[in-house]
Amino acid sequence: MRVLLLGGTTEGAALARALADDARFQATLSLAGVTRAPRPQPLPTRIGGFGGVEGLAAYLRDERIEALLDATHPFAAQMTRNAAAAAGGLPLLRLDRPAWRAQPGDDWHEFPDMPALVESLGETPRRIFLTIGRKELAPFQAAPWHHYVVRSVDPPPPGLLPPHATLITATGPFALDDELALLRGHRIALVATKNSGGAATEAKLQAARRLGLPMRLLARPLPPPGLAVVHDVAAALAWLHDLAERGA
Ligand code: NAP
């Protein structure tokens, strides 16, 4: 069965490994090409956008794709919308890892958009740990009186960092002890992030909790209505195995 796997996540990499070892599937992994040095993948890999809904629909047709598995990041909302619009009658499944949840006693607030989160930071200058991805940095220019410690995989393009910022480039997974040391070392007063979910980057929230720091999160975008969604790799594989058995 010819499968297109939209990746760029830990789950996408796990699915790529599973599909590479399974003779029933002829799968191609698709990456956006945003990471400078993506890890080597066990599947044939194409890199770069398709050219919107029409480009993706043409790709699915030309490559005779029989199933589309969207394992992109929970905040890759555009790609998820495009996949839903381009799939037509093709079997399509979205793998959306579970969101992080507040625990009793947490100082935890979620916001529907980044400007609302930025506004919540207030006017008293604070030292803020920011792990939100390059695309979301611009709204923080509106609150330049804070000192931001920004962590991202690759450096943001020039001009996107807020004026008072320290940049840390690093790739997860991150361990709790290291996150505690980072928050203490930079005298962080608040952690701002996206509710990405997943184990690889959760330690910063555990560390913030341990230190009693406020956590401000961007809430998940909603998936397109009617989209079939599962929440873990095993369920996504079960869906594919079922399709293969039925010869879809
Ligand atoms: P996005 O805003 O939803 O997508 C923007 C455009 O990038 C899409 O319209 C598509 O271009 C292209 N694209 C996205 N994912 C693609 C894929 N897997 N294969 C081919 N083209 C893709 O996505 P994003 O938030 O920029 O994320 C880009 C990639 O980084 C995704 O693969 C995602 O899984 C990964 N990622 C994102 C985040 C995050 O916080 N957003 C975090 C970690 C990893 P066309 O319209 O031209 O097809």
Side-chain angles (χ1 to χ4, degrees):
M1 168 178 285
R2 296 176 65 80
V3 177
L4 178 63
L5 169 61
L6 303 173
T9 52
T10 311
E11 292 77 14
L15 285 166
R17 283 193 297 276
L19 292 178
D21 290 339
D22 193 328
R24 288 172 293 179
F25 301 105
Q26 218 183 319
T28 301
L29 173 66
S30 177
L31 300 175
V34 287
T35 306
R36 272 192 194 167
R39 295 190 169 114
Q41 299 293 340
L43 280 181
T45 303
R46 63 161 303 288
I47 295 184
F50 296 92
V53 175
E54 281 172 20
L56 177 57
Y59 179 93
L60 296 172
R61 213 172 36 243
D62 295 347
E63 298 296 322
R64 292 174 287 110
I65 299 297
E66 297 166 279
L68 178 55
L69 190 46
D70 172 12
T72 55
H73 191 269
F75 282 87
Q78 184 64 54
M79 189 68 247
T80 293
R81 277 195 300 274
N82 289 359
L90 209 63
L92 163 66
L93 185 73
R94 163 88 180 131
L95 167 53
D96 214 6
R97 63 168 87 122
W100 294 316
R101 303 230 173 270
Q103 294 185 6
D106 281 353
D107 179 351
W108 169 301
H109 292 275
E110 290 202 30
F111 299 88
D113 55 57
M114 212 43 113
L117 188 156
V118 173
E119 207 183 325
S120 81
L121 300 176
E123 293 186 357
T124 307
R126 294 205 263 190
R127 296 183 62 83
I128 297 173
F129 184 43
L130 206 51
T131 63
I132 49 149
R134 288 172 290 174
K135 284 202 316 191
E136 310 281 358
L137 273 174
F140 289 85
Q141 305 276 357
W145 47 87
H146 300 298
H147 183 96
Y148 299 99
V149 176
V150 176
R151 183 168 69 194
S152 62
V153 174
D154 293 315
L160 258 196
L161 270 186
H164 307 292
T166 303
L167 177 65
I168 301 172
T169 52
T171 307
F174 301 102
L176 178 57
D177 283 349
D178 295 335
E179 298 295 59
L180 280 166
L182 187 152
L183 296 182
R184 287 190 180 116
H186 287 276
R187 293 175 287 111
I188 296 297
L190 182 147
V191 172
T193 189
K194 298 195 282 199
N195 195 337
S196 299
T201 57
E202 192 178 10
K204 62 181 171 239
L205 295 178
Q206 294 162 344
R209 191 169 279 135
R210 188 83 72 84
L211 299 176
L213 300 182
M215 297 170 248
R216 302 287 178 264
L217 293 93
L218 182 64
R220 292 278 181 96
L222 287 176
L227 183 62
V229 180
V230 294
H231 301 289
D232 58 44
V233 168
L237 284 174
W239 178 79
L240 275 175
H241 295 164
D242 186 50
L243 277 182
E245 250 170 50
R246 289 192 281 127

